[in-house]
Amino acid sequence: MNLSLSILEFAVIGAGLAILLADLWTPVPQKRNLGYAAAAAVGLIFLASMLMQAAAPAYAFEKMYVLDGLALFFKRFFLFAAVIVLVMSVEFADRIEAGIAEYYALIMFALAGMMFAASANDFILVFVSLELITVTFYVLTSFQRGRLHSLEAGVKYLILGALASAFLVYGIALVFGVANTTNFGELMGSARVASARPVFLLGLLLVLVGLGFKIAAFPFQIWAPDVYQGSPAPTTAFLAVGSKAAGFILLLRVLFSAVPEITVNWTKLLMVIAGMTILYGNLCAIPQRNLKRLLGYSSIAHAGYMLLGVAAMNSAGSSAILYYLGAYLFTVLAAFTVICVVMRGVEGDDISAVAGLHQRSPLLAASLSLAMVSLAGIPPLAGFFGKFLLLKAVVEKGATQPGCYWLIAVAILGVVISLYYYLGVVRAIYWSKGSAELSDIKVSWPIQVSLYACIAAMFYLGLFPDRLVNIAMEAVKALKL
Amino acid sequence: MLPWTIYSSFVGVVMLMLLPREQARAARVVALFTALIGLVCALAGALQVQAGSSVAELCRLEWIPSLGIDYHLAADGISLTLVVLTGIAAVAGILFSWNIEHRAKEFFAFYLALIGGVYGVFLSFDLFLLFVFYELAIIPKYFLIAIWGSTRKEYGAMKLALYSFVGSAMVLIGLIAAYVVAGAKTMNLVELASYPFPASFQYWAFPLVFVGFAILAGLWPFHTWAPTGHVAAPTAASMLLAGVVMKLGAYGALRVAMTLFPLGLKAWQIPFGFLAVTGIVYGAMVALVQSDFKFVIGYSSVSHMGFVLLGLMTINEVGLSGAVLQMFSHGVIAGLLFGVVGRMVYDRTHTRELAALQRMNLSQAIPYAAVTFLVASVASMGLPGFSGFVAELQVLIGAWHAFPTFGILAGVGILVGVAYMLRTLQKSFFADRAPGGQQHGHSLESISVAERVGAALLMGTSLVIGLYPRLLLDLIVPSFHSPLFDGLRKGAGL
């Protein structure tokens, strides 16, 4: 038992508790600023995580918990995302009637759940960490108690999330029933024997359903647009980045370190899911007028692109997912930060609310446009290189699996469709007739800093991808590919 | 020297972004200055780099070592020709948009970004880098049309962006496939061109990449973005679109699709030759019945780019060098034609309907425009003395060797070309004054100095190349003996 391995998680939980406690002594007008303290604390933990090394995998809690390169990569990812989301929440604070400190604390608890998920090496930890994430998100989505949309989002997320959790836990029970273990390392040894039993496969499929819900993959994507639209903007951002990435790390762990022998037979299934997810997300995004809802559909599409990397079943594919997530992190956070600032007092989050944004605040306009262009996958921004790596991985797979070429055609179709609606947003920003509101928007300095950081990262990852590619390649060595 | 064509353009973009918003005049001056630096670099580079029958290295740095991708700039005669064309077109385009007042600094920033991307494509010898520059040009194109355009600009801009994007997506898949098949070690153009790709792979990879590029070159039946895009675009953008952006497509088809996949080329020579000829004849026929002045020029571009593609499909030295020369020639002439239509006529009369122009007696109102358009149409028809003649003649000779039927059909296309240019010339400038027609004569502002200089630059270029084509042919022809075309010589019998 080696508790020191999970020091980062404990630090996050401790900081979250400290925020809750500090709330008791903080006068009401100052409560908002607790968010900056939270962001600073998480930022420090992020910097501390940079000092950690994970050359060889180290285990804790009876091998339930693993700290390897992959886990560390994702922990840093989640920590960085949480910093930006917390800064965003401070900006959002005046739209939340009461309990802003709890909002910050819940974000940090969700963060802890994600960080545990990154290290999951046992189905029990998978379930527990996912529940920690999901249950906190039930609250986070419906935090604006006065808004009907927010409540609706919360209820939808609760019902469908509970259903997905039920699938997951039922699947885990079946797996345990056959294999007599929930540990990934032991499962790998017994999987070949157990895989003869259909009940075992059924159990794994149910686990996949539960994870598919997390990443919003077709056909478990139904909740995403409604929840994205109704939730407070910082929640949506964290859902889009953190929750999705947590789903992917768990998916990678389950598929490629628990049952790699079985996963090999599921190539076609994964390919179909990837293709359908891409098409569904992109096609449904076309007619959307609500910016958050549009990003909800686009996040489904991006889950589809990342599933390409899973379906490729090679280390190129998995490292491409990691790279893609890195690019997606900065891009989506930039977009949601802008939405959070601009949509103040706007009901409906309609795209027309960003009309003429370039006159109101050039920085916000540039950030949102660059985010859209990066999501569309146009160089020299980060999104392009991610797609390049994913496509390359699938093409490599194509040598043995000719169906991959169809998948590529579908992916390309999706990318082309997506250009249409992303450019629509950019067009609204720079060029639209009759925008009602033209007053300047004040952007606070922490928001400015996070936007500049996101923009710089988008360009850096797009222009100098080598470093992150190497890190990602190193990280996926933890998987049995 | 040559890489500075790219860098100076992007430096210009940054400088423009730093300018205060109201300074339209300063923006123009900065843009013109930047474009001139680009042109000077291009010309100096063309004189300095003695490419001959080899590829002159300009710059090679490791970029993404884990994937074998380099920042690799190099040039041969073909690149040099097109870089010089880009320089000339860029300067002329700015001179022709001297009257832009609406958000001038953004206009020129997008304009220079587009130019920088184009220079980059022509000088990249790493396929990944080439692709990055190629895609970089999409967004500025979209904005130039969507914000500053005219007739159905949203539709035209989106159509152009989507067509370009579909094309580049096809190219991307082809490039990744080639990269993976060749062992995923290098994206270097010369190394990949010498890699023996299996024939079965080439049979589908060639059409994928070729069509992907050729969409942007206006390959029939994927040309429909071109007329609408050209018409919707503001003058400078349509000059660039027709002048250099369409050349990107043709250049990519030659540089990438043909050199990488010679066996595929051989197999698809006749079908694509047929599409090219269809484009020539179809474009000319449609141009013959247009009522909008700019649509005539738009369809004429499709027709003339058909010659480029036909020249490429001949796979012999005469045809190929004719194709490259035609790229240059059409770039200059189309720029001139769009300049006359968009800036000299439309900005003054606010109509492009030939029927309306017919009543305006323009040859007396703006004689300089009339003379310019006369020269441009004569050059466009392919009369001796202008660059179009040399280029199209070479393509026809090449086509005659490769597929005589197509050669004859292309000849018919030239005849129709004479017909529609004469019709347009007559209707636009030299119509008899209709009784009761508008007396527009004295109300039109006279042709400005900037326009005169721009027009003279383009006319002079076409004339010089027409009279002394060896200036460019000495650059172009030896390039086909470089190692890059080894595969094409062996595989497709160049």
Side-chain angles (χ1 to χ4, degrees):
Chain A
M1 183 102 154
N2 193 352
L3 271 183
S4 66
L5 289 180
S6 41
I7 180 111
L8 293 175
E9 285 87 343
F10 290 124
V12 168
I13 293 172
L17 290 174
I19 294 292
L20 279 183
L21 277 179
D23 182 39
L24 300 177
W25 286 282
T26 313
V28 175
Q30 298 298 322
K31 282 189 196 286
R32 178 174 195 263
N33 293 333
L34 281 175
Y36 290 133
V42 176
L44 281 178
I45 300 172
F46 172 69
L47 290 180
S49 76
M50 285 302 181
L51 301 175
M52 288 180 76
Q53 298 283 337
Y59 297 93
F61 303 111
E62 313 284 320
K63 289 211 164 187
M64 269 182 150
Y65 179 101
V66 61
L67 186 70
D68 51 15
L70 191 62
L72 204 54
F73 178 91
F74 273 91
K75 284 183 212 281
R76 289 170 184 156
F77 176 95
F78 295 132
L79 283 165
F80 185 87
V83 174
I84 306 270
V85 169
L86 283 167
V87 172
M88 216 189 288
S89 316
V90 179
E91 189 65 27
F92 200 80
D94 50 357
R95 276 165 274 181
I96 287 173
E97 298 98 83
I100 186 63
E102 282 89 336
Y103 190 77
Y104 301 143
L106 281 170
I107 287 176
M108 294 166 84
F109 294 143
L111 167 65
M114 290 168 192
M115 290 168 70
F116 274 118
S119 283
N121 195 39
D122 189 299
F123 272 120
I124 300 299
L125 188 57
V126 170
F127 181 69
V128 171
S129 54
L130 265 188
E131 282 305 280
L132 182 50
I133 300 169
T134 316
V135 172
T136 45
F137 266 111
Y138 294 151
V139 187
L140 286 173
T141 45
S142 49
F143 218 86
Q144 285 175 296
R145 276 173 291 175
R147 272 184 70 229
L148 208 58
H149 282 300
S150 183
L151 289 178
E152 184 191 332
V155 171
K156 276 189 179 144
Y157 194 63
L158 174 67
I159 294 174
L160 289 168
L163 191 66
S165 294
F167 275 119
L168 182 72
V169 78
Y170 190 49
I172 292 175
L174 291 181
V175 168
F176 177 69
V178 175
N180 209 16
T181 176
T182 51
N183 189 284
F184 289 174
E186 292 167 29
L187 265 176
M188 207 173 62
S190 59
R192 193 163 295 145
V193 189
S195 64
R197 303 272 299 273
V199 177
F200 185 76
L201 294 180
L202 179 66
L204 281 179
L205 275 178
L206 291 178
V207 170
L208 276 196
V209 171
L211 294 178
F213 172 84
K214 278 281 125 203
I215 61 176
F218 185 88
F220 317 109
Q221 83 298 351
I222 296 293
W223 60 276
D226 290 334
V227 175
Y228 275 55
Q229 179 182 358
S231 307
T235 308
T236 315
F238 209 33
L239 203 57
V241 174
S243 180
K244 195 178 289 280
F248 268 101
I249 173 65
L250 289 176
L251 194 64
L252 290 177
R253 290 261 192 221
V254 170
L255 289 180
F256 300 121
S257 51
V259 288
E261 295 98 338
I262 294 174
T263 309
V264 177
N265 305 325
W266 286 357
T267 315
K268 287 218 173 70
L269 175 71
L270 289 166
M271 281 166 59
V272 170
I273 292 180
M276 295 300 284
T277 310
I278 292 173
L279 277 186
Y280 181 91
N282 281 317
L283 287 174
C284 290
I286 295 176
Q288 301 307 326
R289 296 302 306 158
N290 180 303
L291 197 47
K292 269 156 77 186
R293 196 173 177 83
L294 179 99
L295 285 174
Y297 280 111
S298 112
S299 89
I300 297 176
H302 286 280
Y305 299 136
M306 286 186 262
L307 281 172
L308 291 178
V310 178
M313 305 225 174
N314 46 28
S315 59
S318 302
S319 62
I321 295 177
L322 265 56
Y323 185 93
Y324 200 91
L325 276 171
Y328 186 72
L329 166 78
F330 298 110
T331 310
V332 168
L333 285 180
F336 277 107
T337 308
V338 174
I339 290 175
C340 180
V341 176
V342 174
M343 298 298 183
R344 177 184 303 276
V346 181
E347 186 59 37
D349 304 329
D350 197 83
I351 290 185
S352 62
V354 296
L357 188 62
H358 73 287
Q359 284 172 24
R360 304 176 66 193
S361 164
L363 172 65
L364 294 180
S367 312
L368 189 54
S369 321
L370 286 172
M372 291 298 136
V373 173
S374 176
L375 284 176
I378 290 176
L381 293 162
F384 164 71
F385 198 75
K387 291 207 173 72
F388 173 82
L389 289 175
L390 286 170
L391 288 174
K392 172 177 160 273
V394 181
V395 171
E396 279 178 5
K397 177 78 179 171
T400 54
Q401 184 83 28
C404 280
Y405 293 113
W406 287 106
L407 187 57
I408 292 168
V410 168
I412 286 297
L413 182 66
V415 173
V416 171
I417 295 171
S418 75
L419 184 73
Y420 175 79
Y421 58 82
Y422 289 130
L423 277 185
V425 178
V426 182
R427 192 173 62 187
I429 297 171
Y430 282 96
W431 162 77
S432 56
K433 296 167 206 106
S435 42
E437 176 76 48
L438 279 179
S439 56
D440 281 0
I441 298 178
K442 286 259 178 303
V443 186
S444 67
W445 70 263
I447 292 282
Q448 284 193 23
V449 170
S450 41
L451 282 179
Y452 279 121
C454 288
I455 292 178
M458 275 191 258
F459 275 105
Y460 177 78
L461 291 184
L463 290 172
F464 306 101
D466 199 49
R467 210 175 133 73
L468 187 57
V469 170
N470 285 328
I471 293 174
M473 281 178 176
E474 204 55 41
V476 296
K477 284 189 182 153
L479 300 170
K480 315 282 183 300
L481 283 163
Chain B
M1 208 61 181
L2 274 172
W4 279 96
T5 51
I6 308 172
Y7 310 146
S8 66
S9 307
F10 288 114
V11 169
V13 174
V14 174
M15 280 167 63
L16 281 170
M17 290 203 287
L18 296 177
L19 277 181
R21 188 171 293 173
E22 302 77 29
Q23 300 276 343
R25 197 182 160 72
R28 289 195 285 263
V29 172
V30 169
L32 181 63
F33 192 63
T34 313
L36 278 173
I37 290 178
L39 177 59
V40 169
C41 287
L43 286 173
L47 293 175
Q48 179 196 14
V49 174
Q50 297 295 329
S53 61
S54 65
V55 176
E57 295 284 333
L58 299 173
C59 172
R60 186 166 188 175
L61 301 167
E62 280 200 336
W63 185 17
I64 311 170
S66 49
L67 297 175
I69 293 169
D70 290 338
Y71 181 79
H72 183 191
L73 299 177
D76 64 358
I78 301 169
S79 329
L80 290 175
T81 308
L82 292 169
V83 166
V84 171
L85 167 68
T86 310
I88 294 172
V91 172
I94 290 175
L95 288 172
F96 273 102
S97 41
W98 208 248
N99 59 338
I100 294 258
E101 296 288 343
H102 174 58
R103 294 165 79 172
K105 85 169 198 177
E106 284 133 312
F107 178 86
F108 288 113
F110 282 126
Y111 184 90
L112 289 180
L114 176 55
I115 296 285
V118 172
Y119 277 130
V121 171
F122 291 146
L123 291 175
S124 300
F125 268 63
D126 183 277
L127 287 178
F128 185 81
L129 182 65
L130 185 145
F131 185 80
V132 167
F133 279 124
Y134 188 75
E135 284 253 297
L136 206 59
I138 292 182
I139 296 293
K141 272 189 299 197
Y142 174 79
F143 277 109
L144 283 173
I145 299 175
I147 301 183
W148 292 273
S150 51
T151 324
R152 295 176 80 199
K153 54 186 179 180
E154 296 171 47
Y155 170 77
M158 188 54 90
K159 189 167 176 182
L160 167 62
L162 287 181
Y163 267 78
S164 315
F165 208 52
V166 171
S168 57
M170 290 165 71
V171 169
L172 180 64
I173 292 303
L175 293 188
I176 293 178
Y179 169 68
V180 169
V181 168
K185 284 190 289 289
T186 179
M187 275 275 191
N188 186 305
L189 180 63
V190 181
E191 284 172 38
L192 281 180
S194 60
Y195 184 86
F197 291 103
S200 58
F201 171 70
Q202 295 198 20
Y203 292 147
W204 66 262
F206 173 75
L208 189 71
V209 178
F210 183 84
V211 171
F213 276 119
I215 285 178
L216 209 55
L219 173 71
W220 189 88
F222 310 108
H223 66 283
T224 61
W225 66 268
T228 51
H230 287 146
V231 168
T235 306
S238 44
M239 289 172 73
L240 274 195
L241 272 185
V244 292
V245 172
M246 289 180 95
K247 311 305 177 282
L248 289 183
Y251 174 83
L254 168 64
R255 182 66 98 208
V256 183
M258 290 172 63
T259 51
L260 252 54
F261 311 122
L263 297 177
L265 168 64
K266 197 73 196 158
W268 286 84
Q269 181 185 15
I270 303 292
F272 283 132
F274 175 74
L275 291 186
V277 168
T278 314
I280 296 175
V281 178
Y282 172 89
M285 303 276 243
V286 177
L288 194 55
V289 295
Q290 293 303 309
S291 61
D292 184 311
F293 199 171
K294 217 170 176 181
F295 265 113
V296 177
I297 313 298
Y299 278 105
S300 93
S301 278
V302 174
S303 178
H304 287 291
M305 285 306 290
F307 276 99
V308 174
L309 296 169
L310 182 66
L312 295 182
M313 282 304 118
T314 60
I315 331 183
N316 53 44
E317 217 171 281
V318 187
L320 284 178
S321 47
V324 178
L325 196 59
Q326 170 75 349
M327 289 187 212
F328 185 90
S329 160
H330 176 254
V332 173
I333 296 170
L336 192 57
L337 288 169
F338 276 115
V340 172
V341 178
R343 174 71 181 97
M344 292 184 172
V345 174
Y346 180 69
D347 282 357
R348 291 184 169 79
T349 63
H350 303 289
T351 179
R352 292 188 309 248
E353 284 301 312
L354 286 171
L357 293 173
Q358 216 168 353
R359 281 181 262 118
M360 290 185 184
N361 196 20
L362 287 178
S363 62
Q364 280 170 34
I366 35 176
Y368 192 90
V371 173
T372 311
F373 191 67
L374 182 63
V375 171
S377 9
V378 167
S380 173
M381 287 180 225
L383 256 68
F386 290 97
S387 53
F389 170 72
V390 198
E392 291 183 6
L393 186 67
Q394 288 215 17
V395 172
L396 284 183
I397 296 172
W400 181 257
H401 288 305
F403 18 51
T405 330
F406 291 170
I408 293 169
L409 283 172
V412 174
I414 295 191
L415 288 182
V416 185
V418 173
Y420 71 72
M421 280 323 292
L422 283 177
R423 166 179 175 270
T424 315
L425 195 61
Q426 189 264 335
K427 290 205 171 195
S428 56
F429 284 99
F430 299 101
D432 286 337
R433 195 177 312 171
Q438 287 166 280
Q439 264 302 345
H440 229 300
H442 301 287
S443 59
L444 298 181
E445 80 180 273
S446 58
I447 304 291
S448 70
V449 178
E451 289 166 69
R452 283 168 200 251
V453 175
L457 174 67
L458 294 175
M459 286 193 283
T461 310
S462 181
L463 196 61
V464 167
I465 299 305
L467 293 176
Y468 194 63
R470 280 193 54 189
L471 271 181
L472 287 180
L473 285 177
D474 281 353
L475 277 178
I476 297 167
V477 177
S479 339
F480 293 113
H481 299 281
S482 78
L484 185 61
F485 289 92
D486 277 347
L488 207 53
R489 266 194 298 277
K490 267 183 268 166
L494 167 64

